[in-house]
Amino acid sequence: MMKKAEILQKIELRQSTIKDYLNCPLLFRYKHLEEIPEGYRHSAALHGTALHKVIHRLHTEDWTLDLERAYKKALNQAVEEEDIPVNWKETPEKYLENALEILTGYQSNPVNQEAVVLYSEVPFKVKVNGNYFTGTIDQVRKNPDGTVELLDMKSGKQQPSTAFLKNDWQLNLYL
C-alpha cells in the first residue's frame, strides 16, 4: 500500500483527480496510481473542450466567428488529439446543435461582448496547507460595471443548486 507522500509524488492534485477519488477510490487507483490507460474518451468532455476553445477564440480573435465552422474544427481537433476511441454518448450532430445554442447565446449576450477578458483557459498552481493543487481557469473577466468575475463554463442544461456550488471542489479550489 502506498503512503500519502508516495501518492502525492506520483499524482497531480487537480479537481478532477479529487473527484475521481471521491466518486470511486478504485477508479482513482487504476487511473492515477497504476496508470492504466482509459479504453475510450467521453464525448461530453470533448464537446466541452471544443466549446471552451471557441469561446476563447471569440475573445482573442474575432467576435463574429462562424460558430458552426469554429466548433466543428475545435471538436475535430479534440477528437484527433489522442489515438483513443471516443464513446459517443450523443451523435456529433446533437453536440453541434447544443453547441450552436450555447455559442449563439454567448455571442449575442451584450455582457459577454462588453466584458474585458483578463484570463482565459489559464493553468494555475496554488499551495494550500502544504499541498500543491493545479487546474485551468476557464475565464476571469472584468464586466462593464467594474466587477471582476471568475467563470467556470459548463455545457449542461440544468443550473446547479446553491448547495452544489458551495460544495463544488473545482469552484472552491479556483476561489
Side-chain angles (χ1 to χ4, degrees):
M1 180 151 221
M2 292 179 81
K3 304 245 187 252
K4 178 183 173 183
E6 292 173 302
I7 293 171
L8 291 174
Q9 287 293 318
K10 189 164 180 76
I11 67 165
E12 190 172 334
L13 284 175
R14 300 179 61 82
Q15 60 82 20
S16 57
T17 309
I18 295 166
K19 283 183 179 178
D20 283 347
Y21 180 78
L22 293 173
N23 288 333
C24 180
L26 189 58
L27 166 77
F28 171 84
R29 183 176 129 206
Y30 290 156
K31 184 175 178 182
H32 302 287
L33 300 180
E34 295 183 17
E35 298 176 355
I36 297 171
E38 295 188 63
Y40 63 89
R41 292 181 293 157
H42 295 276
S43 57
L46 298 173
H47 174 59
T49 297
L51 288 169
H52 285 230
K53 284 183 180 181
V54 174
I55 289 171
H56 179 78
R57 285 187 62 203
L58 282 170
H59 286 282
T60 59
E61 294 176 25
D62 181 8
W63 195 259
T64 61
L65 213 59
D66 177 331
L67 297 176
E68 181 172 350
R69 197 157 137 205
Y71 174 79
K72 285 179 177 179
K73 179 180 177 183
L75 183 62
N76 286 336
Q77 286 174 339
V79 168
E80 292 170 3
E81 254 176 32
E82 295 181 46
D83 193 27
I84 300 172
V86 177
N87 179 13
W88 290 100
K89 186 176 176 183
E90 297 284 349
T91 65
E93 293 78 24
K94 278 281 191 194
Y95 282 118
L96 175 62
E97 184 182 316
N98 177 254
L100 292 176
E101 180 183 342
I102 290 169
L103 294 169
T104 301
Y106 187 92
Q107 187 183 48
S108 65
N109 186 331
V111 172
N112 294 329
Q113 294 171 18
E114 297 166 13
V116 175
V117 174
L118 305 173
Y119 304 99
S120 176
E121 301 299 318
V122 176
F124 70 88
K125 184 176 188 177
V126 63
K127 190 174 186 177
V128 179
N129 293 330
N131 294 307
Y132 284 99
F133 293 85
T134 63
T136 304
I137 293 176
D138 293 349
Q139 194 180 95
V140 177
R141 66 190 194 177
K142 188 172 186 176
N143 293 316
D145 65 4
T147 58
V148 175
E149 187 173 39
L150 167 77
L151 296 179
D152 182 60
M153 300 174 200
K154 300 293 184 198
S155 58
K157 292 189 179 220
Q158 195 170 19
Q159 185 160 339
S161 68
T162 303
F164 172 83
L165 293 173
K166 285 181 181 177
N167 293 304
D168 183 67
W169 277 92
Q170 185 176 11
L171 292 177
N172 283 292
L173 179 59
Y174 292 178
L175 286 172

